[in-house]
Each structure stands twice: as C-alpha cells, then as structure tokens.
Amino acid sequence: MKLVDSHIHLDFSAFDTDRDVLLEEAQSSGISRFVVPSTTRDSWLRIKNLALSNPAILVAYGIHPYFIHAHSLNDCESLDSWLETHACAAVGEIGLDYFVKELAPGLQMEFFRAQLYIAANHRLPVILHARKALDHLTRELKLHGIKHGIVHSFNGSYVQAKRLIDMGFKLGFGGALTYPRATRLQALVKQLPLDSICLETDAPDQASSRFAGKRNEPLALLEVLETVAKLHNASIEIIARHTTDNTYSALNIC
Ligand SMILES: [Zn+2]
C-alpha cells in the first residue's frame, strides 16, 4: 500500500520537536509521499530545505489567502522569479476565503488572480484553498485556463464538486470527514467517483477524530483512508491505489 498525503504543513513549528519521528512513523505505515504547500513568502526557503532533507516531500510555492495582509503584490513577482529556479509540484496554497471576515475579498482576488496567472505561465497545477468561495474560485480557474490541481479540504455541494471534476480537478478530503456528525460531507464523498478523491491531513490543523482537540498528525491519513473505504464499500487497498493515483495525476507526477 502506497499512500500520499496531498496536503500537510510539515514545515509548521508545531512539528519542530518531532518532525523526523512522525515522518518515519508515517512512512513505515505506508504513507510514502507528502505534499507540502507553502503559506507565506518566508516559508518557501523553509519548505525547499525540508524537501532537500527528505525525498518523500513534494513542495508547492505560493501565498495563502490568510497571509495576504502581510505581503504586497510584489511578492507575487518574487514568486514568479522563484519558480524560474525552483522546481515544484504546484503553485499553492492559494485561493479565496470569504469565511474569515478580516480578509479583504478584493485584495484576496488580486493575489489569487496574480498567482493563477503565474501558475498558467509556468504550466503548473494549483493547490487550492476555498471557504464560502467555491463559485468565484471555479470561475477564476476557468478564466485563467487552469485545468489541473487539487481543491483541498473540499466542502461544497455535489453540483460544485461535479463542476470542478469535469474541469479536471481532484478534491481533497481530510480529518473533517472522520467525525460521525459529518453526515453531509460523508454523503457527498459517497456520491463522488473514486477517480476524483485525494486524501489529506492538513496537519497540524483539522484534526481527525482520533486526534480531536489535539495537534493533527501525519498518521491521521489512515483514518481518512478507512472512512473513504467504508463510504465506498471498498477495500483500503483499492482506495489507497485510487487516491494515490489521483494525487499524482493532479500534480503531473509519475
Ligand atoms: Zn493548508
């Protein structure tokens, strides 16, 4: 069994004391690859070094909507030049978040559009963050001609999911799916074709039920895997194979 965590913030300081132990534990449980998206301009170098220290780590470079107020649009130009000399799997984590009221929607859109333009120019897929913003996000992807990537921690309707899948995107599901009360999200995953689903932890955030109230850890991916297997009435091996293939195909990795 070869699993991929399609979204994990391994560079966060929450892992500073035991990062290597956790990675080893995860790798010996079958989690063979970790996609680490960046959040701020400062994190690019950190993530690059992390990937140099462990070949199981794949990276994405971008500016997360949570941190736009600490950046200027010039930083998007820096991203463009950074990508000239730094190989990566995708541009990300980028997107739109209308749930967090402090994040100015107009400014978010400027950063999002600038980074989609860069992704298209570099022919890179995107790792997307969307909260209460899926329709705007989908429209922008269409306008910029982006056809590959993963919408992480997907939490929309079946219609919104279908639209993205038809455009070529995969959808990421993580800890939120593992709670018995997550009936709406579970019903959605049940309806989705197996070739559209990616597994993720978003660790150290979005703890699965096993880590509820605590730091989320790489091993939570197994709980997400088991949940998807149950919902699709399939073996964990089949779900592992599909979700790994899906992440690789979304990020153009062989
Ligand atoms: Zn994230």
Side-chain angles (χ1 to χ4, degrees), residues 197-218:
I197 299 170
C198 297
L199 305 180
E200 64 170 66
T201 60
D202 201 22
D205 302 324
Q206 301 209 52
S208 67
S209 71
R210 181 180 153 193
F211 294 99
K214 293 193 224 115
R215 176 185 72 168
N216 198 23
E217 293 185 8

Short mmCIF file of all heavy atoms in Angstrom, two decimals, residues 197-218:
data_model
loop_
_atom_site.label_atom_id
_atom_site.label_comp_id
_atom_site.label_asym_id
_atom_site.label_seq_id
_atom_site.Cartn_x
_atom_site.Cartn_y
_atom_site.Cartn_z
N ILE A 197 -11.07 11.66 -5.86
CA ILE A 197 -10.82 11.88 -4.43
C ILE A 197 -9.33 11.77 -4.08
O ILE A 197 -8.67 10.81 -4.45
CB ILE A 197 -11.61 10.86 -3.59
CG1 ILE A 197 -13.12 11.02 -3.84
CG2 ILE A 197 -11.30 10.99 -2.10
CD1 ILE A 197 -13.98 9.93 -3.25
N CYS A 198 -8.83 12.77 -3.33
CA CYS A 198 -7.47 12.72 -2.79
C CYS A 198 -7.56 12.72 -1.27
O CYS A 198 -8.48 13.31 -0.70
CB CYS A 198 -6.65 13.94 -3.21
SG CYS A 198 -6.40 14.05 -4.99
N LEU A 199 -6.61 12.06 -0.64
CA LEU A 199 -6.57 12.05 0.83
C LEU A 199 -5.60 13.12 1.32
O LEU A 199 -4.58 13.37 0.69
CB LEU A 199 -6.10 10.69 1.35
CG LEU A 199 -6.86 9.45 0.90
CD1 LEU A 199 -6.23 8.21 1.54
CD2 LEU A 199 -8.33 9.54 1.24
N GLU A 200 -5.94 13.71 2.47
CA GLU A 200 -5.06 14.71 3.06
C GLU A 200 -5.24 14.74 4.57
O GLU A 200 -6.25 14.25 5.08
CB GLU A 200 -5.37 16.10 2.49
CG GLU A 200 -6.78 16.60 2.86
CD GLU A 200 -7.01 18.06 2.49
OE1 GLU A 200 -7.01 18.37 1.31
OE2 GLU A 200 -7.17 18.87 3.43
N THR A 201 -4.26 15.32 5.26
CA THR A 201 -4.45 15.53 6.70
C THR A 201 -4.58 17.01 7.05
O THR A 201 -5.24 17.36 8.03
CB THR A 201 -3.26 14.98 7.52
OG1 THR A 201 -2.08 15.66 7.11
CG2 THR A 201 -3.14 13.48 7.35
N ASP A 202 -3.92 17.89 6.28
CA ASP A 202 -3.81 19.31 6.63
C ASP A 202 -3.14 19.48 8.00
O ASP A 202 -3.29 20.50 8.64
CB ASP A 202 -5.18 20.00 6.61
CG ASP A 202 -5.07 21.51 6.48
OD1 ASP A 202 -4.03 21.99 5.99
OD2 ASP A 202 -6.02 22.22 6.89
N ALA A 203 -2.44 18.44 8.46
CA ALA A 203 -1.76 18.52 9.77
C ALA A 203 -0.77 19.68 9.76
O ALA A 203 -0.16 19.95 8.73
CB ALA A 203 -1.03 17.21 10.05
N PRO A 204 -0.60 20.41 10.87
CA PRO A 204 -1.14 20.11 12.21
C PRO A 204 -2.58 20.56 12.45
O PRO A 204 -3.08 20.45 13.56
CB PRO A 204 -0.19 20.93 13.11
CG PRO A 204 0.19 22.11 12.27
CD PRO A 204 0.28 21.59 10.87
N ASP A 205 -3.25 21.08 11.40
CA ASP A 205 -4.63 21.57 11.56
C ASP A 205 -5.64 20.47 11.24
O ASP A 205 -5.27 19.38 10.81
CB ASP A 205 -4.86 22.78 10.64
CG ASP A 205 -3.87 23.90 10.93
OD1 ASP A 205 -3.53 24.09 12.12
OD2 ASP A 205 -3.43 24.56 9.98
N GLN A 206 -6.92 20.81 11.42
CA GLN A 206 -8.05 19.95 11.04
C GLN A 206 -7.90 18.50 11.53
O GLN A 206 -7.92 17.54 10.74
CB GLN A 206 -8.24 19.95 9.53
CG GLN A 206 -8.50 21.35 8.98
CD GLN A 206 -9.34 21.33 7.72
OE1 GLN A 206 -10.41 20.72 7.69
NE2 GLN A 206 -8.90 21.99 6.68
N ALA A 207 -7.75 18.36 12.84
CA ALA A 207 -7.56 17.04 13.44
C ALA A 207 -8.65 16.06 13.05
O ALA A 207 -9.83 16.41 12.97
CB ALA A 207 -7.49 17.17 14.95
N SER A 208 -8.25 14.81 12.82
CA SER A 208 -9.23 13.75 12.60
C SER A 208 -9.81 13.38 13.97
O SER A 208 -9.32 13.85 14.99
CB SER A 208 -8.54 12.53 11.99
OG SER A 208 -7.64 11.97 12.95
N SER A 209 -10.83 12.51 13.99
CA SER A 209 -11.50 12.22 15.26
C SER A 209 -10.51 11.61 16.26
O SER A 209 -10.60 11.85 17.46
CB SER A 209 -12.71 11.32 15.04
OG SER A 209 -12.30 10.03 14.70
N ARG A 210 -9.52 10.87 15.75
CA ARG A 210 -8.53 10.28 16.65
C ARG A 210 -7.69 11.33 17.37
O ARG A 210 -7.28 11.14 18.51
CB ARG A 210 -7.62 9.36 15.83
CG ARG A 210 -6.57 8.68 16.67
CD ARG A 210 -5.68 7.77 15.82
NE ARG A 210 -4.39 7.65 16.46
CZ ARG A 210 -3.32 7.15 15.88
NH1 ARG A 210 -3.39 6.73 14.63
NH2 ARG A 210 -2.19 7.08 16.53
N PHE A 211 -7.43 12.44 16.71
CA PHE A 211 -6.60 13.48 17.30
C PHE A 211 -7.43 14.68 17.78
O PHE A 211 -6.89 15.75 18.04
CB PHE A 211 -5.54 13.97 16.30
CG PHE A 211 -4.52 12.92 15.95
CD1 PHE A 211 -4.63 12.18 14.78
CD2 PHE A 211 -3.47 12.64 16.81
CE1 PHE A 211 -3.70 11.20 14.45
CE2 PHE A 211 -2.52 11.67 16.50
CZ PHE A 211 -2.64 10.94 15.32
N ALA A 212 -8.75 14.48 17.89
CA ALA A 212 -9.67 15.59 18.21
C ALA A 212 -9.16 16.42 19.39
O ALA A 212 -8.77 15.87 20.42
CB ALA A 212 -11.06 15.04 18.52
N GLY A 213 -9.15 17.74 19.20
CA GLY A 213 -8.73 18.66 20.27
C GLY A 213 -7.23 18.74 20.43
O GLY A 213 -6.74 19.47 21.29
N LYS A 214 -6.49 17.97 19.60
CA LYS A 214 -5.02 17.96 19.73
C LYS A 214 -4.39 18.37 18.40
O LYS A 214 -5.07 18.64 17.43
CB LYS A 214 -4.54 16.55 20.06
CG LYS A 214 -4.97 16.07 21.43
CD LYS A 214 -4.19 14.82 21.77
CE LYS A 214 -5.08 13.77 22.37
NZ LYS A 214 -5.35 12.57 21.78
N ARG A 215 -3.08 18.34 18.38
CA ARG A 215 -2.35 18.56 17.14
C ARG A 215 -2.66 17.41 16.19
O ARG A 215 -2.59 16.25 16.58
CB ARG A 215 -0.84 18.58 17.45
CG ARG A 215 0.02 18.71 16.21
CD ARG A 215 1.50 18.59 16.54
NE ARG A 215 1.90 17.24 16.90
CZ ARG A 215 3.17 16.81 17.01
NH1 ARG A 215 4.15 17.68 16.83
NH2 ARG A 215 3.44 15.57 17.34
N ASN A 216 -2.97 17.73 14.96
CA ASN A 216 -3.20 16.66 13.99
C ASN A 216 -1.85 16.14 13.50
O ASN A 216 -0.88 16.89 13.43
CB ASN A 216 -4.01 17.21 12.81
CG ASN A 216 -4.65 16.11 12.00
OD1 ASN A 216 -4.86 15.01 12.49
ND2 ASN A 216 -4.96 16.41 10.76
N GLU A 217 -1.80 14.85 13.19
CA GLU A 217 -0.52 14.24 12.83
C GLU A 217 -0.61 13.48 11.50
O GLU A 217 -1.70 13.09 11.07
CB GLU A 217 -0.07 13.29 13.96
CG GLU A 217 0.26 14.06 15.22
CD GLU A 217 0.82 13.18 16.33
OE1 GLU A 217 1.09 12.00 16.08
OE2 GLU A 217 1.00 13.72 17.44
N PRO A 218 0.54 13.23 10.87
CA PRO A 218 0.53 12.53 9.57
C PRO A 218 -0.25 11.21 9.58
O PRO A 218 -0.92 10.88 8.59
CB PRO A 218 2.03 12.27 9.31
CG PRO A 218 2.74 13.36 10.05
CD PRO A 218 1.91 13.66 11.26
#
